[in-house]
Amino acid sequence: MDYLAQLASNKILISSVLAWALAQILKTLINFLSTREFNPERLFGSGGMPSSHSATVCALVTAVAMEYGMGDYEFAMAAVFAIIVMYDAMNVRREAGEHAKWINLIATTLQPDIPLERKFKEYLGHTPLQVLMGGILGIAVAFAVM
């Protein structure tokens, strides 16, 4: 039971998880407002506005900075982790999503009568604006929790 109390009092973890959850909820609402259709996959899926990856790691790095300062190794580790995740979201995963769109288009064009049993997932990465908005959300959540 002591472990649960420790988890419940870990403001760094709470900041990160809360930022992720809020980003996913916002992403679902924004998607609903733009398409007028509820897509439950948006609650847990990647891609979209705002970036939940960026919200999570920015909340993490901000909370670590507030807890330990920016001169310790904890901040350095969190900052490097955040940079890698945000770079990956904007570049590697975004490009993979673009590839998936083209592959799906080519497959349906070449074989229009044969339904695809499994389309490649196209929502993978983020635009720079989506990453920025996720980052701002994460920082705000960390300030609110800490």
Side-chain angles (χ1 to χ4, degrees):
M1 202 54 136
D2 188 42
Y3 297 116
L4 292 177
Q6 288 177 356
L7 280 175
S9 67
N10 187 331
K11 289 185 178 181
I12 295 171
L13 179 64
I14 291 168
S15 295
S16 300
V17 172
L18 183 59
W20 172 83
L22 287 174
Q24 290 300 120
I25 291 167
L26 284 171
K27 183 184 304 187
T28 305
L29 290 172
I30 290 169
N31 182 262
F32 175 76
L33 292 173
S34 66
T35 65
R36 298 288 183 221
E37 293 179 15
F38 176 69
N39 182 356
E41 189 273 334
R42 296 285 72 215
L43 282 171
F44 297 101
S46 58
M49 170 69 92
S51 166
S52 57
H53 289 86
S54 297
T56 304
V57 296
C58 284
L60 172 69
V61 75
T62 303
V64 166
M66 294 173 78
E67 182 77 18
Y68 298 106
M70 292 191 274
D72 287 335
Y73 74 91
E74 292 94 346
F75 175 78
M77 290 173 53
V80 169
F81 178 66
I83 290 167
I84 291 169
V85 167
M86 291 164 61
Y87 176 85
D88 180 71
M90 279 192 305
N91 294 289
V92 179
R93 289 187 310 106
R94 183 174 177 203
E95 193 65 27
E98 291 299 316
H99 290 167
K101 286 178 189 175
W102 280 102
I103 292 169
N104 290 337
L105 177 65
I106 291 168
T108 55
T109 302
L110 293 177
Q111 299 179 337
D113 298 334
I114 302 172
L116 283 178
E117 290 187 21
R118 180 182 173 271
K119 286 181 70 174
F120 288 103
K121 186 176 177 185
E122 297 176 6
Y123 285 112
L124 294 174
H126 296 283
T127 64
L129 179 62
Q130 293 169 341
V131 169
L132 175 66
M133 300 286 49
I136 291 169
L137 175 64
I139 291 167
V141 168
F143 272 100
V145 170
M146 298 300 284

